[in-house]
């Protein structure tokens, strides 16, 4: 007795299915969204400036299935002060990049990361 189906007349068939392991893994586990080197350079440049000013202390990077998140903390045990997110699904609509505050409110959104990161630039004020 075998697992093979019988054809009319008592003949048996043998079907072999070959699946590429690479294709199987790619379909099963989609590649997470990541920040590219130039994007991380721009983010870390601002992060380094703010650490130097004593405003920020820690960060975390998360590469998820649908977006990449750079979280910025005042202290590592707290909620992030800001989150810089890259969501490629929104690239054609509102822009793939956004900066959110602690409460999840979008501070700035756009198609280009340097423009979005300008939300962290300080405005100089004239003091009399």
């Amino acid at each position: 007795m075998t697992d093979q189906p019988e054809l009319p007349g008592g003949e048996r068939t043998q079907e072999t299915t070959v699946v590429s392991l690479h294709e199987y893994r790619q379909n099963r586990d989609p590649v997470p969204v990541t920040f590219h080197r130039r994007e991380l350079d721009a983010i870390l440049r601002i992060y380094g400036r703010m650490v130097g000013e004593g405003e920020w202390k820690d960060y975390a990077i998360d590469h998820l299935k649908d977006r990449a998140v750079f979280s910025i903390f005042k202290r590592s045990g707290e909620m992030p002060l800001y989150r810089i997110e890259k969501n490629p699904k929104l690239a054609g609509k509102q822009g793939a990049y956004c900066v959110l505050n602690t409460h999840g409110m979008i501070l700035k959104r756009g198609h280009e990361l340097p423009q979005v990161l300008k939300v962290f630039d300080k405005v100089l004020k004239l003091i009399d």
Side-chain angles (χ1 to χ4, degrees), residues 42-57:
I43 294 169
L44 290 173
R45 190 174 305 115
I46 290 176
Y47 176 78
R49 187 184 76 211
M50 297 302 235
V51 167
E53 294 176 8
E55 293 188 30
W56 298 346
K57 303 285 185 210

Side-chain angles (χ1 to χ4, degrees), residues 49-121:
R49 187 184 76 211
M50 297 302 235
V51 167
E53 294 176 8
E55 293 188 30
W56 298 346
K57 303 285 185 210
D58 201 5
Y59 72 91
I61 301 175
D62 296 309
H63 295 169
L64 307 171
K65 291 179 185 177
D66 60 338
R67 66 183 189 267
V69 182
F70 187 95
S71 302
I72 301 164
F73 299 89
K74 180 73 174 178
R75 291 179 200 85
S76 59
E78 296 181 350
M79 294 284 292
L81 289 176
Y82 300 102
R83 290 189 328 247
I84 301 167
E85 293 190 1
K86 175 184 176 181
N87 189 342
K89 289 182 182 177
L90 298 176
K93 299 175 183 174
Q94 304 149 340
Y97 304 100
C98 69
V99 175
L100 296 97
N101 67 5
T102 303
H103 306 294
M105 182 184 301
I106 297 173
L107 302 177
K108 192 157 185 169
R109 179 183 297 260
H111 295 280
E112 296 180 14
L113 184 61
Q115 286 296 111
V116 173
L117 294 177
K118 286 185 178 182
V119 74
F120 297 116
D121 291 343

Side-chain angles (χ1 to χ4, degrees), residues 19 21 92 117:
V19 178
L21 185 59
L117 294 177

Side-chain angles (χ1 to χ4, degrees), residues 19-32:
V19 178
S20 168
L21 185 59
H22 176 70
E23 290 177 18
Y24 173 77
R25 286 183 178 161
Q26 191 174 21
N27 291 336
R28 199 178 107 230
D29 296 327
V31 178

